[in-house]
Amino acid sequence: MKLTRSFLLVVISLGMFVNAQAQEETEIIFHKPANPDRVKAPFSEAVQAGNLFFLAGQIGIDRSVGKLAENGIQGETEQAIKNIKGVLEHHGLTLDNVVKCTVILSDINDFRAFNEVYVKYFTKKPARTTYAAAGLAVGAKIEIDVIAVK
């Protein structure tokens, strides 16, 4: 079968129209946090677009005591992941639903110690970007944000 150039242009245009229409129909939900104390935060812990969930970055703060977890980067990494798990569970998701992680370290020299904890939790190996930045909120050593699919 030989396709003409005009036929291909029609097919491409139709595909672009369908894609644009699908994007316009995607409902975006700015979810309220499970913890009422977090309602005043200037951001949403989770935003849902269709079946995608975009979680705000989580640091290693233990909210039950209001301070950063002990044991340095490993303790903070574990707590940050526990915080992520809590937000995911609130929306019926688990760490297995995570497809992308962005990790910010306050010191790139903590990479190996962070990774020792990380691999215990993210066994499906989602895509990941890791970098260092000078200064995280409340002096945290790590912040992790994720994208999950329901």
Side-chain angles (χ1 to χ4, degrees):
M1 180 174 155
K2 192 174 188 179
L3 300 177
T4 66
R5 183 181 182 118
S6 60
F7 177 76
L8 287 174
L9 288 174
V10 168
V11 169
I12 290 169
S13 297
L14 180 59
M16 290 169 52
F17 171 76
V18 169
N19 187 37
Q21 187 176 15
Q23 289 178 2
E24 288 175 13
E25 293 175 7
T26 301
E27 181 181 11
I28 298 175
I29 303 168
F30 297 87
H31 289 285
K32 294 190 183 327
N35 182 343
D37 295 337
R38 308 267 309 148
V39 171
K40 293 182 182 178
F43 55 87
S44 296
E45 280 190 333
V47 176
Q48 181 181 353
N51 65 339
L52 296 175
F53 286 77
F54 299 84
L55 273 60
Q58 296 290 328
I59 60 174
I61 198 162
D62 181 342
R63 294 192 186 120
S64 67
V65 294
K67 65 179 190 171
L68 290 170
E70 296 179 356
N71 299 323
I73 186 63
Q74 290 188 322
E76 287 188 38
T77 300
E78 188 159 354
Q79 185 62 54
I81 294 170
K82 286 178 181 178
N83 294 345
I84 290 167
K85 283 177 66 173
V87 175
L88 289 170
E89 287 170 2
H90 180 66
H91 298 286
L93 303 166
T94 70
L95 292 176
D96 287 345
N97 294 98
V98 173
V99 296
K100 174 71 167 95
C101 294
T102 301
V103 179
I104 308 165
L105 300 170
S106 65
D107 183 347
I108 199 65
N109 293 313
D110 285 336
F111 181 83
R112 180 173 285 156
F114 137 75
N115 210 43
E116 288 174 4
V117 175
Y118 177 92
V119 298
K120 293 175 187 176
Y121 290 93
F122 289 100
T123 58
K124 297 282 186 181
K125 297 185 177 182
R128 184 178 87 191
T129 302
T130 305
Y131 60 93
L136 296 173
V138 301
K141 295 181 177 299
I142 187 167
E143 183 169 351
I144 305 172
D145 75 61
V146 302
I147 300 171
V149 178
K150 191 166 196 172

